[in-house]
């Protein structure tokens, strides 16, 4: 059976997430540079060709538009649905990264962190049983001077991912873990991204 184009992209994304974790951008900021900064804002947007695989978001869109289950797959690929789902994620990503960075930049120079999301993947249980795939997020993270907009330091394609239960047994175990966790899978991925960026920016090991 041939995979649908979007499903093939999910498979490719899973492989990319696993490999990208080994790639680290160079951080030449000194400790005095970092100490002088104060994070004044986090701005989140999505790349034009961003791939989002998030069943919760699509379900929310379907409920808002009263779309039946048999029409969800077709509706999920519309520009309106993509914009709706991205709109749900923007404040959650912003809040998660702000929490991860809280108290870390307490200087006097105001800086802004621009996040441009390229991939946000939470493969469904069915997908993980049939083809596999881990949860993760890839985004460009660019720290800029809040007054001038000048780029201070950038980390293109920063990727954070979480190993997720695969196959029938792994998916069952993962469901039990998710049900007992107060933090949603989406928020856990976002938190991991924020933590990964924080460690890199502060010149700690990722």
């Amino acid at each position: 059976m041939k995979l649908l184009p979007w499903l093939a992209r999910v498979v490719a994304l899973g492989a990319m997430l696993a490999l990208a974790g080994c790639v680290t951008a160079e951080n030449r900021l000194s400790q005095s540079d970092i100490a002088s900064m104060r994070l004044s804002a986090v701005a989140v947007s999505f790349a034009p060709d961003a791939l989002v695989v998030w069943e919760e978001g699509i379900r929310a869109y379907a409920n808002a538009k009263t779309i039946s289950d048999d029409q969800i797959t077709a509706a999920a690929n519309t520009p309106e649905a993509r914009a709706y789902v991205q709109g749900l994620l923007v404040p959650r990503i912003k809040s998660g990264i702000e929490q991860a960075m809280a108290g870390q930049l307490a200087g006097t120079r105001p800086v802004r962190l621009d996040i441009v999301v390229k991939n946000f993947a939470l493969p469904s249980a069915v997908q993980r049983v049939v083809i596999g795939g881990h949860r993760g997020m890839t985004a460009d993270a660019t720290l800029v001077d809040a007054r001038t907009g000048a780029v201070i330091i950038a980390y293109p394609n920063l990727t954070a991912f979480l190993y997720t239960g695969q196959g029938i047994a792994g998916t069952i175990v993962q469901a039990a873990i998710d049900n007992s966790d107060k933090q949603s899978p989406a928020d856990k991925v976002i938190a991991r991204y924020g933590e990964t960026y924080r460690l890199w920016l502060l010149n700690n090991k990722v």
Side-chain angles (χ1 to χ4, degrees):
M1 181 177 65
K2 293 179 66 178
L3 292 175
L4 294 173
W6 69 269
L7 197 54
R9 289 184 69 192
V10 174
V11 177
L13 174 59
M16 184 193 72
L17 290 174
L19 292 172
C22 302
V23 179
T24 304
E26 186 175 7
N27 180 357
R28 294 184 176 180
L29 292 178
S30 67
Q31 292 302 314
S32 60
D33 289 333
I34 296 169
S36 71
M37 298 176 189
R38 173 177 58 83
L39 186 62
S40 61
V42 174
V44 178
S45 62
F46 282 77
D49 60 346
L51 173 63
V52 176
V53 181
W54 184 38
E55 188 175 3
E56 180 185 334
I58 290 299
R59 288 285 178 185
Y61 171 74
N63 290 337
K65 299 296 181 178
T66 320
I67 297 171
S68 60
D69 287 349
D70 61 335
Q71 295 176 318
I72 287 180
T73 300
N77 293 318
T78 64
E80 181 184 56
R82 289 194 293 270
Y84 186 95
V85 172
Q86 291 176 8
L88 293 178
L89 282 172
V90 164
R92 294 177 73 160
I93 295 173
K94 182 177 185 296
S95 176
I97 293 177
E98 286 175 341
Q99 290 179 30
M101 295 297 296
Q104 300 303 316
L105 300 179
T108 57
R109 179 189 182 186
V111 296
R112 184 182 74 247
L113 179 57
D114 291 340
I115 303 293
V116 180
V117 181
K118 295 183 173 180
N119 292 292
F120 188 91
L122 271 71
S124 68
V126 173
Q127 290 169 0
R128 286 185 280 115
V129 168
V130 176
I131 62 173
H134 294 289
R135 297 166 177 169
M137 170 179 164
T138 298
D140 293 341
T142 305
L143 196 66
V144 303
D145 187 290
R147 296 192 182 100
T148 67
V151 174
I152 298 171
I153 191 168
Y155 194 147
N157 296 316
L158 172 58
T159 296
F161 71 99
L162 300 173
Y163 287 106
T164 313
Q166 308 292 297
I168 296 175
T171 300
I172 292 173
V173 172
Q174 188 65 57
I177 294 172
D178 292 342
N179 290 334
S180 64
D181 200 327
K182 294 181 179 180
Q183 194 174 33
S184 74
D187 291 332
K188 288 172 72 174
V189 167
I190 293 165
R192 175 60 61 86
Y193 183 92
E195 292 164 1
T196 302
Y197 180 76
R198 182 188 69 223
L199 290 172
W200 173 81
L201 181 67
L202 300 182
N203 283 308
N204 296 319
K205 284 189 175 182
V206 175

